[in-house]
Amino acid sequence: DSGVTQTPKHLITATGQRVTLRCSPRSGDLSVYWYQQSLDQGLQFLIQYYNGEERAKGNILERFSAQQFPDLHSELNLSSLELGDSALYFCASSVVPSTNSPLHFGNGTRLTVT
Amino acid sequence: SQQGEEDPQALSIQEGENATMNCSYKTSINNLQWYRQNSGRGLVHLILIRSNEREKHSGRLRVTLDTSKKSSSLLITASRAADTASYFCATDAQLETGANNLFFGTGTRLTVIP
């Protein structure tokens, strides 16, 4: 068990809808990362937060947004959903935003857009 | 893209055999990490090797790094059925913002046949 909790585990919704994915980092970790994993794109970095502040952005669409709250949990909001947004969304955490330490991943939220 | 690329994409071996996976990357790195992903689960960190290291061991895992060739290999010795998983390399790269982040390859799917 990595200590990173993601909810919900599965989400099925229709095109055009909006969903929110939630992540609780491992106790003591201040940095949260969001990744998208789809069959044809591999694991894509979306966005990173550190202690409530956005620190880095990757291939995140404008329809997607995220935030990290004072209690350090994070939410990823996906809006105007398209079929191509169907994927596994992973949250990971680390103590500090350094690439010199390992990331601890949650078990992901599987999003299916119909 | 700053992603590493794993080779082969899929590998099938008999239990007890050794498995070797390779990773190539494009730009200079500070470190390289290997992760394992069991089907439908989150990634689990296996090992981190720094750019000034050439080889690292952890149990049945052996990782090598050749920065001149921009490549790394992961060797799993005496494989077990429980080693069946996808294996990813992750390299650190600098984003346009100046922040460093981990970027993952597309993975090698390892099947160990009992």
Side-chain angles (χ1 to χ4, degrees):
Chain A
D1 183 10
S2 68
V4 178
T5 303
Q6 288 188 249
T7 57
K9 291 184 180 179
H10 302 277
L11 201 48
I12 301 174
T13 189
T15 54
Q17 295 298 305
R18 181 181 189 274
V19 297
T20 298
L21 313 183
R22 182 189 168 102
C23 168
S24 294
R26 199 178 61 140
S27 178
D29 285 358
L30 301 179
S31 199
V32 168
Y33 310 74
W34 286 98
Y35 286 86
Q36 178 193 55
Q37 185 178 38
S38 54
L39 283 176
D40 58 347
Q41 294 289 323
L43 204 66
Q44 298 287 319
F45 166 66
L46 295 178
I47 198 164
Q48 178 196 147
Y49 283 85
Y50 172 62
N51 208 18
E53 299 291 326
E54 180 185 305
R55 180 172 168 81
K57 255 183 180 179
N59 298 323
I60 188 166
L61 301 171
E62 287 190 7
R63 300 183 286 110
F64 296 0
S65 65
Q67 60 184 125
Q68 186 180 27
F69 294 86
D71 67 353
L72 301 178
H73 91 271
S74 178
E75 293 181 357
L76 178 66
N77 301 297
L78 315 176
S79 61
S80 302
L81 286 168
E82 302 174 358
L83 295 177
D85 297 328
S86 295
L88 261 173
Y89 290 85
F90 286 106
C91 169
S93 71
S94 64
V95 176
V96 291
S98 167
T99 56
N100 291 324
S101 57
L103 296 184
H104 303 274
F105 281 80
N107 283 323
T109 293
R110 182 174 294 278
L111 174 66
T112 303
V113 182
T114 62
Chain B
S1 168
Q2 304 294 330
Q3 288 179 333
E5 291 186 7
E6 290 88 347
D7 171 65
Q9 289 188 332
L11 180 61
S12 185
I13 60 174
Q14 297 290 328
E15 200 166 32
E17 294 181 338
N18 295 341
T20 299
M21 288 156 271
N22 303 297
C23 169
S24 60
Y25 55 91
K26 297 179 180 177
T27 63
S28 60
I29 59 172
N30 295 312
N31 65 71
L32 184 144
Q33 302 185 34
W34 284 91
Y35 288 77
R36 183 189 76 229
Q37 182 183 30
N38 288 83
S39 182
R41 309 280 288 182
L43 281 72
V44 175
H45 179 260
L46 295 176
I47 200 164
L48 181 153
I49 186 165
R50 303 190 191 285
S51 59
N52 61 354
E53 298 175 309
R54 291 297 168 258
E55 189 171 311
K56 204 162 182 180
H57 297 255
S58 176
R60 294 184 295 112
L61 306 181
R62 172 179 167 245
V63 169
T64 61
L65 179 64
D66 187 335
T67 53
S68 67
K69 294 181 179 178
K70 292 186 171 60
S71 68
S72 173
S73 67
L74 170 67
L75 169 67
I76 303 174
T77 61
S79 63
R80 306 166 182 169
D83 295 328
T84 294
S86 292
Y87 292 82
F88 294 84
C89 69
T91 53
D92 64 329
Q94 195 171 59
L95 297 164
E96 290 177 359
T97 57
N100 271 32
N101 209 73
L102 274 183
F103 291 86
F104 289 79
T106 51
T108 291
R109 174 69 187 166
L110 173 67
T111 302
V112 181
I113 303 167

